Amino acid sequence: AQSVAQPEDQVNVAEGNPLTVKCTYSVSGNPYLFWYVQYPNRGLQFLLKYITGDNLVKGSYGFEAEFNKSQTSFHLKKPSALVSDSALYFCAVRDSLGSARQLTFGSGTQLTVLP
Amino acid sequence: NAGVTQTPKFRVLKTGQSMTLLCAQDMNHEYMYWYRQDPGMGLRLIHYSVGEGTTAKGEVPDGYNVSRLKKQNFLLGLESAAPSQTSVYFCASSYGPGGRTEAFFGQGTRLTVV
């Protein structure tokens, strides 16, 4: 079975400081990992994904994520946070093995960037 | 660039009433999904479709039915609404399986069952 955990419901960071939103996963095979962002009253928007290759993945709006197989983690990072980055962030995973054709989403982390 | 469009955006139902949520995508995607979003629980998959004429159950299918008669449309039906179905519903579509290609989401339907 595939699962994903976002251990922090809420992350607060000052504008201009680096931010990290944590994600850990569990799969039987290799993971396909995604980050999505949700702004108020909107649907989810794709940020970045890891399928294979370099462990550091760069995505939209200056975000990046680091795949760490030994720690089964895929943390989202940004060197300098903006107030406009405040939103709800979701990590998602799919196992390369098994019959599941859909993603499993984490419970979400609310990021607040303080001016 | 319409992308994924959901209709309606808001609805209030009485317990026992029925309704259909419509999802339309204009990207020629094969895969379509219906999720529900509840506070602290993330998104949970209700049903999905891997192509026209096909449907499959997701994580929380009870109380819902779906149909995909046309490739661009994916309908979610509630036959007899219950308060536990109060939620925000999202439709999504993707070119390939939801694990190698990114999904595109609609803006959501906020449903309240009283």
Side-chain angles (χ1 to χ4, degrees):
Chain A
Q2 57 193 36
S3 66
V4 62
Q6 294 180 243
E8 300 161 317
D9 293 335
Q10 175 83 38
V11 170
N12 296 327
V13 63
E15 187 175 29
N17 283 1
L19 70 86
T20 299
V21 182
K22 296 180 180 178
C23 172
T24 59
Y25 66 88
S26 176
V27 295
S28 299
N30 293 317
Y32 302 144
L33 292 156
F34 293 73
W35 276 103
Y36 285 84
V37 60
Q38 184 181 30
Y39 298 100
N41 301 314
R42 302 295 297 275
L44 278 68
Q45 297 177 28
F46 169 76
L47 276 180
L48 51 80
K49 68 180 177 182
Y50 172 84
I51 303 298
T52 186
D54 290 340
N55 290 341
L56 185 63
V57 179
K58 294 187 182 297
S60 306
Y61 312 121
F63 283 93
E64 57 189 27
E66 186 170 9
F67 171 64
N68 188 317
K69 188 172 184 177
S70 63
Q71 297 186 1
T72 61
S73 66
F74 190 57
H75 300 332
L76 181 70
K77 300 181 179 182
K78 188 173 182 180
S80 179
L82 300 173
V83 173
S84 58
D85 292 330
S86 298
L88 186 59
Y89 290 81
F90 289 96
C91 182
V93 68
R94 181 194 165 202
D95 195 338
S96 65
L97 296 179
S99 61
R101 300 187 182 189
Q102 66 279 358
L103 295 171
T104 295
F105 284 83
S107 56
T109 297
Q110 181 66 49
L111 173 68
T112 300
V113 181
L114 305 169
Chain B
N1 293 337
V4 179
T5 303
Q6 291 182 231
T7 309
K9 292 184 170 51
F10 303 93
R11 185 73 184 269
V12 178
L13 284 180
K14 293 183 178 179
T15 298
Q17 286 184 320
S18 64
M19 78 164 293
T20 300
L21 281 67
L22 172 63
C23 177
Q25 54 96 3
D26 61 1
M27 296 171 283
N28 202 35
H29 286 169
E30 290 291 338
Y31 292 74
M32 296 188 74
Y33 315 86
W34 275 107
Y35 290 91
R36 60 177 289 172
Q37 183 181 26
D38 301 293
M41 301 188 73
L43 274 75
R44 293 181 292 169
L45 184 67
I46 305 171
H47 286 281
Y48 65 100
S49 169
V50 301
E52 180 178 320
T54 73
T55 63
K57 294 181 179 180
E59 181 184 356
V60 289
D62 293 343
Y64 305 95
N65 57 76
V66 288
S67 64
R68 183 111 181 258
L69 299 180
K70 294 183 178 180
K71 186 177 184 179
Q72 64 268 34
N73 295 336
F74 195 30
L75 278 63
L76 177 70
L78 285 73
E79 293 182 347
S80 180
S84 60
Q85 294 178 304
T86 294
S87 187
V88 181
Y89 292 85
F90 287 100
C91 176
S93 70
S94 63
Y95 177 74
R100 292 191 68 85
T101 60
E102 56 267 34
F104 293 80
F105 284 79
Q107 290 194 320
T109 296
R110 187 172 297 274
L111 175 66
T112 301
V113 182
V114 298

